Amino acid sequence: MGTWGAGNFDNDTSADHLSTLTGRLVREVEEAMADPEELEADEFWGCAVPANLELLTLLAKQHYVGVVLPDVPTVDRWKATYMTAWEDSIDGLEPTDEFRRARRKVLLATFAKLRRAAQRESG
């Protein structure tokens, strides 16, 4: 195994571990996308998917070896699927207009940040 620095992620074993963890986050999102009802605003994956995307983006910002990200077309597909499910379900929860606008802005920013990270990774 190779080591290239003193940091916690500066060796092959940690990079492999990070690849496993981030790969799991990506797989969970991909599996959630297969059932858009699970992406509704009040469902588990409706909340967990954006959390997974945020975690992936935060890890990508560190430039650690081993971070697995989806490609740009996948991020775009996820965004379309997720936002459709969210838009179709949010009004049934009777949020305030202010909350709906603020949450939508956060969700769109989350997808945009992941898309930028995926673009950087693809070169």
Side-chain angles (χ1 to χ4, degrees):
M1 292 287 163
T3 299
W4 51 89
N8 292 325
F9 292 98
D10 293 343
N11 60 73
D12 288 339
T13 301
S14 294
D16 290 346
H17 178 60
L18 191 55
S19 177
T20 299
L21 290 173
T22 55
R24 187 184 105 207
L25 295 172
V26 170
R27 276 190 311 282
E28 287 178 352
V29 172
E30 187 63 36
E31 289 169 6
M33 292 296 157
D35 186 359
E37 285 185 21
E38 294 296 320
L39 300 172
E40 292 177 359
D42 62 340
E43 295 294 330
F44 177 83
W45 288 111
C47 296
V49 162
N52 279 15
L53 303 180
E54 188 81 20
L55 288 169
L56 288 167
T57 302
L58 289 169
L59 289 167
K61 280 184 172 181
Q62 301 305 311
H63 303 288
Y64 294 138
V65 173
V67 173
V68 173
L69 295 178
D71 60 19
V72 171
T74 298
V75 175
D76 292 342
R77 178 176 50 81
W78 287 354
K79 177 184 171 189
T81 301
Y82 182 89
M83 292 307 298
T84 297
W86 187 84
E87 296 284 357
D88 289 348
S89 64
I90 190 63
D91 287 340
L93 302 175
E94 301 178 359
T96 64
D97 288 340
E98 181 181 342
F99 176 82
R100 183 187 308 104
R101 280 191 301 274
R103 183 65 182 143
R104 186 175 197 281
K105 183 177 179 180
V106 167
L107 291 170
L108 292 174
T110 300
F111 280 101
K113 289 185 290 187
L114 181 60
R115 190 178 199 281
R116 285 191 299 273
Q119 283 176 313
R120 281 191 304 273
E121 287 295 310
S122 67

